[in-house]
Amino acid sequence: MLKLSSDTRNIALVESFVERAVEQYQIAPDIYGNILITLTEAVNNAIIHGNSNDESKTVQIQLRRKNNCLAVRVTDEGEGFDHSAVPDPTAPENLLQVGGRGVFLMQQLSDSVHFHNNGSTVEMRFNL
């Protein structure tokens, strides 16, 4: 488990956390990039949107391997959100928006995405 204060500079710590997991669980290199991108997006969302950049709040990252699957959970201390109300970033009216692609990337690069605790926890699964 990795626990970070809600400072966007801490996102840099995610890469070494993923590298340790890749070694520990012997994850194939082609999956590494997807895990790193989705986890970085999830932590970024948790810090900025979930915890409103409040450094007194934390983001927790948990990894769990079960059979041929790696589950990655990111939990913030925010109120959560309605993931079904996130606008589609591929819609023409949203193509030029600066943000709004994090959940989309998580859904595209992982094998499944589930939201828990009213959206304050996201779990991404990767088939190994």
mmCIF file of all heavy atoms in Angstrom, residues 72-111:
data_model
loop_
_atom_site.group_PDB
_atom_site.id
_atom_site.type_symbol
_atom_site.label_atom_id
_atom_site.label_comp_id
_atom_site.label_asym_id
_atom_site.label_seq_id
_atom_site.Cartn_x
_atom_site.Cartn_y
_atom_site.Cartn_z
ATOM 1 N N VAL A 72 -6.022 -2.808 -8.761
ATOM 2 C CA VAL A 72 -5.391 -1.580 -8.286
ATOM 3 C C VAL A 72 -6.504 -0.678 -7.775
ATOM 4 O O VAL A 72 -7.400 -0.316 -8.528
ATOM 5 C CB VAL A 72 -4.613 -0.881 -9.421
ATOM 6 C CG1 VAL A 72 -3.936 0.369 -8.902
ATOM 7 C CG2 VAL A 72 -3.606 -1.820 -10.049
ATOM 8 N N ARG A 73 -6.449 -0.323 -6.490
ATOM 9 C CA ARG A 73 -7.478 0.536 -5.874
ATOM 10 C C ARG A 73 -6.890 1.868 -5.464
ATOM 11 O O ARG A 73 -5.831 1.920 -4.849
ATOM 12 C CB ARG A 73 -8.037 -0.111 -4.610
ATOM 13 C CG ARG A 73 -9.151 -1.045 -4.853
ATOM 14 C CD ARG A 73 -9.755 -1.485 -3.515
ATOM 15 N NE ARG A 73 -10.925 -2.267 -3.826
ATOM 16 C CZ ARG A 73 -12.090 -2.103 -3.255
ATOM 17 N NH1 ARG A 73 -12.245 -1.235 -2.288
ATOM 18 N NH2 ARG A 73 -13.114 -2.839 -3.625
ATOM 19 N N VAL A 74 -7.609 2.934 -5.770
ATOM 20 C CA VAL A 74 -7.225 4.279 -5.359
ATOM 21 C C VAL A 74 -8.402 4.860 -4.589
ATOM 22 O O VAL A 74 -9.525 4.894 -5.089
ATOM 23 C CB VAL A 74 -6.892 5.169 -6.583
ATOM 24 C CG1 VAL A 74 -6.567 6.582 -6.138
ATOM 25 C CG2 VAL A 74 -5.733 4.566 -7.367
ATOM 26 N N THR A 75 -8.125 5.307 -3.360
ATOM 27 C CA THR A 75 -9.173 5.842 -2.494
ATOM 28 C C THR A 75 -8.787 7.229 -2.007
ATOM 29 O O THR A 75 -7.660 7.446 -1.559
ATOM 30 C CB THR A 75 -9.397 4.919 -1.276
ATOM 31 O OG1 THR A 75 -9.732 3.610 -1.744
ATOM 32 C CG2 THR A 75 -10.512 5.436 -0.381
ATOM 33 N N ASP A 76 -9.739 8.159 -2.115
ATOM 34 C CA ASP A 76 -9.510 9.500 -1.581
ATOM 35 C C ASP A 76 -10.485 9.760 -0.436
ATOM 36 O O ASP A 76 -11.311 8.908 -0.118
ATOM 37 C CB ASP A 76 -9.622 10.570 -2.683
ATOM 38 C CG ASP A 76 -10.994 10.628 -3.326
ATOM 39 O OD1 ASP A 76 -12.007 10.785 -2.610
ATOM 40 O OD2 ASP A 76 -11.061 10.538 -4.571
ATOM 41 N N GLU A 77 -10.375 10.917 0.185
ATOM 42 C CA GLU A 77 -11.224 11.261 1.325
ATOM 43 C C GLU A 77 -12.352 12.212 0.938
ATOM 44 O O GLU A 77 -12.972 12.838 1.792
ATOM 45 C CB GLU A 77 -10.374 11.908 2.423
ATOM 46 C CG GLU A 77 -9.352 10.957 3.025
ATOM 47 C CD GLU A 77 -8.578 11.594 4.148
ATOM 48 O OE1 GLU A 77 -9.198 12.125 5.091
ATOM 49 O OE2 GLU A 77 -7.338 11.572 4.080
ATOM 50 N N GLY A 78 -12.631 12.308 -0.346
ATOM 51 C CA GLY A 78 -13.668 13.215 -0.822
ATOM 52 C C GLY A 78 -15.071 12.646 -0.710
ATOM 53 O O GLY A 78 -15.271 11.529 -0.226
ATOM 54 N N GLU A 79 -16.015 13.424 -1.206
ATOM 55 C CA GLU A 79 -17.437 13.049 -1.161
ATOM 56 C C GLU A 79 -17.788 12.004 -2.216
ATOM 57 O O GLU A 79 -18.851 11.415 -2.161
ATOM 58 C CB GLU A 79 -18.298 14.297 -1.411
ATOM 59 C CG GLU A 79 -18.087 15.407 -0.403
ATOM 60 C CD GLU A 79 -18.741 15.105 0.922
ATOM 61 O OE1 GLU A 79 -19.888 14.606 0.913
ATOM 62 O OE2 GLU A 79 -18.093 15.348 1.957
ATOM 63 N N GLY A 80 -16.923 11.836 -3.208
ATOM 64 C CA GLY A 80 -17.219 10.931 -4.310
ATOM 65 C C GLY A 80 -17.838 11.702 -5.465
ATOM 66 O O GLY A 80 -17.933 12.930 -5.430
ATOM 67 N N PHE A 81 -18.254 10.985 -6.487
ATOM 68 C CA PHE A 81 -18.865 11.610 -7.656
ATOM 69 C C PHE A 81 -19.670 10.563 -8.406
ATOM 70 O O PHE A 81 -19.541 9.368 -8.178
ATOM 71 C CB PHE A 81 -17.792 12.227 -8.560
ATOM 72 C CG PHE A 81 -16.999 11.203 -9.346
ATOM 73 C CD1 PHE A 81 -17.177 11.068 -10.709
ATOM 74 C CD2 PHE A 81 -16.079 10.378 -8.723
ATOM 75 C CE1 PHE A 81 -16.457 10.134 -11.433
ATOM 76 C CE2 PHE A 81 -15.347 9.443 -9.435
ATOM 77 C CZ PHE A 81 -15.541 9.321 -10.799
ATOM 78 N N ASP A 82 -20.512 11.027 -9.313
ATOM 79 C CA ASP A 82 -21.329 10.138 -10.135
ATOM 80 C C ASP A 82 -20.552 9.845 -11.416
ATOM 81 O O ASP A 82 -20.524 10.665 -12.328
ATOM 82 C CB ASP A 82 -22.670 10.791 -10.440
ATOM 83 C CG ASP A 82 -23.579 9.910 -11.276
ATOM 84 O OD1 ASP A 82 -23.196 8.762 -11.618
ATOM 85 O OD2 ASP A 82 -24.684 10.377 -11.606
ATOM 86 N N HIS A 83 -19.910 8.700 -11.464
ATOM 87 C CA HIS A 83 -19.070 8.375 -12.627
ATOM 88 C C HIS A 83 -19.873 8.250 -13.915
ATOM 89 O O HIS A 83 -19.336 8.429 -14.999
ATOM 90 C CB HIS A 83 -18.255 7.103 -12.366
ATOM 91 C CG HIS A 83 -19.084 5.868 -12.269
ATOM 92 N ND1 HIS A 83 -19.741 5.510 -11.123
ATOM 93 C CD2 HIS A 83 -19.371 4.930 -13.187
ATOM 94 C CE1 HIS A 83 -20.398 4.390 -11.329
ATOM 95 N NE2 HIS A 83 -20.191 4.014 -12.574
ATOM 96 N N SER A 84 -21.161 7.987 -13.804
ATOM 97 C CA SER A 84 -21.978 7.869 -15.010
ATOM 98 C C SER A 84 -22.302 9.236 -15.617
ATOM 99 O O SER A 84 -22.762 9.320 -16.748
ATOM 100 C CB SER A 84 -23.272 7.101 -14.712
ATOM 101 O OG SER A 84 -24.080 7.837 -13.811
ATOM 102 N N ALA A 85 -22.044 10.307 -14.862
ATOM 103 C CA ALA A 85 -22.329 11.657 -15.355
ATOM 104 C C ALA A 85 -21.112 12.342 -15.966
ATOM 105 O O ALA A 85 -21.191 13.493 -16.378
ATOM 106 C CB ALA A 85 -22.883 12.513 -14.209
ATOM 107 N N VAL A 86 -19.989 11.622 -16.033
ATOM 108 C CA VAL A 86 -18.775 12.204 -16.618
ATOM 109 C C VAL A 86 -18.987 12.321 -18.130
ATOM 110 O O VAL A 86 -19.326 11.340 -18.787
ATOM 111 C CB VAL A 86 -17.529 11.327 -16.310
ATOM 112 C CG1 VAL A 86 -16.298 11.846 -17.021
ATOM 113 C CG2 VAL A 86 -17.300 11.251 -14.811
ATOM 114 N N PRO A 87 -18.794 13.512 -18.691
ATOM 115 C CA PRO A 87 -19.003 13.695 -20.136
ATOM 116 C C PRO A 87 -18.053 12.840 -20.975
ATOM 117 O O PRO A 87 -16.914 12.595 -20.580
ATOM 118 C CB PRO A 87 -18.709 15.187 -20.366
ATOM 119 C CG PRO A 87 -18.741 15.815 -19.021
ATOM 120 C CD PRO A 87 -18.396 14.746 -18.031
ATOM 121 N N ASP A 88 -18.518 12.407 -22.122
ATOM 122 C CA ASP A 88 -17.719 11.605 -23.040
ATOM 123 C C ASP A 88 -16.681 12.514 -23.709
ATOM 124 O O ASP A 88 -17.036 13.421 -24.457
ATOM 125 C CB ASP A 88 -18.629 10.985 -24.104
ATOM 126 C CG ASP A 88 -17.876 10.181 -25.144
ATOM 127 O OD1 ASP A 88 -16.634 10.087 -25.074
ATOM 128 O OD2 ASP A 88 -18.545 9.632 -26.040
ATOM 129 N N PRO A 89 -15.383 12.281 -23.456
ATOM 130 C CA PRO A 89 -14.360 13.157 -24.033
ATOM 131 C C PRO A 89 -14.217 13.006 -25.542
ATOM 132 O O PRO A 89 -13.569 13.827 -26.182
ATOM 133 C CB PRO A 89 -13.078 12.748 -23.311
ATOM 134 C CG PRO A 89 -13.313 11.345 -22.913
ATOM 135 C CD PRO A 89 -14.799 11.229 -22.631
ATOM 136 N N THR A 90 -14.822 11.952 -26.119
ATOM 137 C CA THR A 90 -14.737 11.766 -27.565
ATOM 138 C C THR A 90 -15.890 12.435 -28.303
ATOM 139 O O THR A 90 -15.902 12.452 -29.536
ATOM 140 C CB THR A 90 -14.696 10.264 -27.935
ATOM 141 O OG1 THR A 90 -15.933 9.648 -27.546
ATOM 142 C CG2 THR A 90 -13.524 9.569 -27.251
ATOM 143 N N ALA A 91 -16.849 12.989 -27.553
ATOM 144 C CA ALA A 91 -17.960 13.712 -28.191
ATOM 145 C C ALA A 91 -17.414 14.997 -28.814
ATOM 146 O O ALA A 91 -16.529 15.640 -28.238
ATOM 147 C CB ALA A 91 -19.041 14.028 -27.165
ATOM 148 N N PRO A 92 -17.912 15.376 -29.985
ATOM 149 C CA PRO A 92 -17.385 16.555 -30.680
ATOM 150 C C PRO A 92 -17.292 17.812 -29.815
ATOM 151 O O PRO A 92 -16.307 18.542 -29.884
ATOM 152 C CB PRO A 92 -18.368 16.755 -31.841
ATOM 153 C CG PRO A 92 -18.937 15.395 -32.084
ATOM 154 C CD PRO A 92 -18.982 14.726 -30.728
ATOM 155 N N GLU A 93 -18.282 18.041 -28.974
ATOM 156 C CA GLU A 93 -18.273 19.253 -28.139
ATOM 157 C C GLU A 93 -17.222 19.217 -27.031
ATOM 158 O O GLU A 93 -16.911 20.231 -26.418
ATOM 159 C CB GLU A 93 -19.660 19.522 -27.540
ATOM 160 C CG GLU A 93 -20.143 18.483 -26.546
ATOM 161 C CD GLU A 93 -20.853 17.279 -27.150
ATOM 162 O OE1 GLU A 93 -20.783 17.073 -28.391
ATOM 163 O OE2 GLU A 93 -21.481 16.536 -26.388
ATOM 164 N N ASN A 94 -16.641 18.046 -26.775
ATOM 165 C CA ASN A 94 -15.654 17.912 -25.706
ATOM 166 C C ASN A 94 -14.223 17.700 -26.204
ATOM 167 O O ASN A 94 -13.290 17.633 -25.401
ATOM 168 C CB ASN A 94 -16.028 16.744 -24.783
ATOM 169 C CG ASN A 94 -17.344 16.985 -24.087
ATOM 170 O OD1 ASN A 94 -17.678 18.117 -23.754
ATOM 171 N ND2 ASN A 94 -18.108 15.934 -23.885
ATOM 172 N N LEU A 95 -14.034 17.601 -27.506
ATOM 173 C CA LEU A 95 -12.705 17.281 -28.040
ATOM 174 C C LEU A 95 -11.643 18.313 -27.696
ATOM 175 O O LEU A 95 -10.479 17.969 -27.524
ATOM 176 C CB LEU A 95 -12.769 17.112 -29.564
ATOM 177 C CG LEU A 95 -13.485 15.852 -30.046
ATOM 178 C CD1 LEU A 95 -13.536 15.838 -31.568
ATOM 179 C CD2 LEU A 95 -12.812 14.595 -29.522
ATOM 180 N N LEU A 96 -12.010 19.563 -27.582
ATOM 181 C CA LEU A 96 -11.025 20.614 -27.315
ATOM 182 C C LEU A 96 -10.924 20.977 -25.837
ATOM 183 O O LEU A 96 -10.168 21.875 -25.484
ATOM 184 C CB LEU A 96 -11.360 21.866 -28.144
ATOM 185 C CG LEU A 96 -11.353 21.645 -29.663
ATOM 186 C CD1 LEU A 96 -11.740 22.915 -30.394
ATOM 187 C CD2 LEU A 96 -9.988 21.147 -30.127
ATOM 188 N N GLN A 97 -11.641 20.249 -24.979
ATOM 189 C CA GLN A 97 -11.571 20.504 -23.543
ATOM 190 C C GLN A 97 -10.193 20.118 -23.023
ATOM 191 O O GLN A 97 -9.590 19.145 -23.476
ATOM 192 C CB GLN A 97 -12.652 19.713 -22.794
ATOM 193 C CG GLN A 97 -14.067 20.089 -23.157
ATOM 194 C CD GLN A 97 -14.406 21.508 -22.766
ATOM 195 O OE1 GLN A 97 -14.021 21.981 -21.696
ATOM 196 N NE2 GLN A 97 -15.095 22.210 -23.646
ATOM 197 N N VAL A 98 -9.709 20.870 -22.039
ATOM 198 C CA VAL A 98 -8.380 20.612 -21.481
ATOM 199 C C VAL A 98 -8.374 19.329 -20.659
ATOM 200 O O VAL A 98 -7.467 18.520 -20.751
ATOM 201 C CB VAL A 98 -7.908 21.808 -20.629
ATOM 202 C CG1 VAL A 98 -6.607 21.484 -19.922
ATOM 203 C CG2 VAL A 98 -7.746 23.031 -21.504
ATOM 204 N N GLY A 99 -9.367 19.103 -19.837
ATOM 205 C CA GLY A 99 -9.413 17.929 -18.969
ATOM 206 C C GLY A 99 -10.535 16.992 -19.369
ATOM 207 O O GLY A 99 -11.094 17.076 -20.457
ATOM 208 N N GLY A 100 -10.858 16.085 -18.450
ATOM 209 C CA GLY A 100 -12.003 15.222 -18.662
ATOM 210 C C GLY A 100 -11.712 13.895 -19.335
ATOM 211 O O GLY A 100 -12.636 13.224 -19.781
ATOM 212 N N ARG A 101 -10.445 13.503 -19.395
ATOM 213 C CA ARG A 101 -10.130 12.250 -20.079
ATOM 214 C C ARG A 101 -9.658 11.138 -19.139
ATOM 215 O O ARG A 101 -9.443 10.012 -19.566
ATOM 216 C CB ARG A 101 -9.048 12.493 -21.132
ATOM 217 C CG ARG A 101 -9.574 13.328 -22.287
ATOM 218 C CD ARG A 101 -8.487 13.702 -23.269
ATOM 219 N NE ARG A 101 -9.003 14.510 -24.346
ATOM 220 C CZ ARG A 101 -9.282 15.803 -24.271
ATOM 221 N NH1 ARG A 101 -9.078 16.449 -23.154
ATOM 222 N NH2 ARG A 101 -9.756 16.465 -25.308
ATOM 223 N N GLY A 102 -9.512 11.442 -17.853
ATOM 224 C CA GLY A 102 -8.974 10.474 -16.907
ATOM 225 C C GLY A 102 -9.789 9.202 -16.799
ATOM 226 O O GLY A 102 -9.252 8.094 -16.937
ATOM 227 N N VAL A 103 -11.089 9.327 -16.552
ATOM 228 C CA VAL A 103 -11.946 8.140 -16.410
ATOM 229 C C VAL A 103 -11.980 7.373 -17.731
ATOM 230 O O VAL A 103 -11.901 6.141 -17.756
ATOM 231 C CB VAL A 103 -13.363 8.533 -15.938
ATOM 232 C CG1 VAL A 103 -14.301 7.341 -15.977
ATOM 233 C CG2 VAL A 103 -13.307 9.121 -14.531
ATOM 234 N N PHE A 104 -12.052 8.098 -18.837
ATOM 235 C CA PHE A 104 -12.051 7.466 -20.158
ATOM 236 C C PHE A 104 -10.776 6.632 -20.360
ATOM 237 O O PHE A 104 -10.839 5.478 -20.788
ATOM 238 C CB PHE A 104 -12.167 8.543 -21.245
ATOM 239 C CG PHE A 104 -12.081 8.004 -22.647
ATOM 240 C CD1 PHE A 104 -13.179 7.388 -23.238
ATOM 241 C CD2 PHE A 104 -10.911 8.116 -23.381
ATOM 242 C CE1 PHE A 104 -13.103 6.891 -24.532
ATOM 243 C CE2 PHE A 104 -10.821 7.624 -24.677
ATOM 244 C CZ PHE A 104 -11.923 7.007 -25.255
ATOM 245 N N LEU A 105 -9.621 7.201 -20.024
ATOM 246 C CA LEU A 105 -8.354 6.474 -20.163
ATOM 247 C C LEU A 105 -8.331 5.237 -19.268
ATOM 248 O O LEU A 105 -7.875 4.169 -19.683
ATOM 249 C CB LEU A 105 -7.170 7.376 -19.825
ATOM 250 C CG LEU A 105 -6.749 8.357 -20.906
ATOM 251 C CD1 LEU A 105 -5.715 9.330 -20.364
ATOM 252 C CD2 LEU A 105 -6.202 7.621 -22.120
ATOM 253 N N MET A 106 -8.825 5.378 -18.053
ATOM 254 C CA MET A 106 -8.862 4.227 -17.144
ATOM 255 C C MET A 106 -9.703 3.108 -17.748
ATOM 256 O O MET A 106 -9.333 1.933 -17.694
ATOM 257 C CB MET A 106 -9.424 4.636 -15.788
ATOM 258 C CG MET A 106 -8.480 5.467 -14.961
ATOM 259 S SD MET A 106 -9.156 5.808 -13.337
ATOM 260 C CE MET A 106 -9.714 7.480 -13.574
ATOM 261 N N GLN A 107 -10.840 3.477 -18.335
ATOM 262 C CA GLN A 107 -11.733 2.476 -18.925
ATOM 263 C C GLN A 107 -11.119 1.834 -20.168
ATOM 264 O O GLN A 107 -11.303 0.643 -20.411
ATOM 265 C CB GLN A 107 -13.085 3.105 -19.259
ATOM 266 C CG GLN A 107 -13.861 3.500 -18.025
ATOM 267 C CD GLN A 107 -15.056 4.383 -18.318
ATOM 268 O OE1 GLN A 107 -15.070 5.134 -19.289
ATOM 269 N NE2 GLN A 107 -16.062 4.304 -17.463
ATOM 270 N N GLN A 108 -10.371 2.606 -20.938
ATOM 271 C CA GLN A 108 -9.779 2.084 -22.165
ATOM 272 C C GLN A 108 -8.544 1.222 -21.926
ATOM 273 O O GLN A 108 -8.306 0.264 -22.658
ATOM 274 C CB GLN A 108 -9.417 3.246 -23.111
ATOM 275 C CG GLN A 108 -10.609 4.035 -23.608
ATOM 276 C CD GLN A 108 -11.593 3.171 -24.376
ATOM 277 O OE1 GLN A 108 -11.224 2.463 -25.303
ATOM 278 N NE2 GLN A 108 -12.848 3.190 -23.967
ATOM 279 N N LEU A 109 -7.758 1.549 -20.915
ATOM 280 C CA LEU A 109 -6.465 0.890 -20.721
ATOM 281 C C LEU A 109 -6.474 -0.242 -19.697
ATOM 282 O O LEU A 109 -5.505 -0.993 -19.608
ATOM 283 C CB LEU A 109 -5.402 1.919 -20.331
ATOM 284 C CG LEU A 109 -5.113 2.985 -21.394
ATOM 285 C CD1 LEU A 109 -4.113 4.005 -20.867
ATOM 286 C CD2 LEU A 109 -4.623 2.355 -22.690
ATOM 287 N N SER A 110 -7.552 -0.362 -18.932
ATOM 288 C CA SER A 110 -7.642 -1.479 -17.983
ATOM 289 C C SER A 110 -8.680 -2.466 -18.508
ATOM 290 O O SER A 110 -9.435 -2.167 -19.432
ATOM 291 C CB SER A 110 -8.033 -0.971 -16.590
ATOM 292 O OG SER A 110 -9.342 -0.465 -16.601
ATOM 293 N N ASP A 111 -8.716 -3.639 -17.900
ATOM 294 C CA ASP A 111 -9.685 -4.647 -18.332
ATOM 295 C C ASP A 111 -11.052 -4.424 -17.697
ATOM 296 O O ASP A 111 -12.064 -4.850 -18.249
ATOM 297 C CB ASP A 111 -9.154 -6.049 -18.021
ATOM 298 C CG ASP A 111 -7.955 -6.368 -18.906
ATOM 299 O OD1 ASP A 111 -8.129 -6.430 -20.136
ATOM 300 O OD2 ASP A 111 -6.843 -6.514 -18.368
#
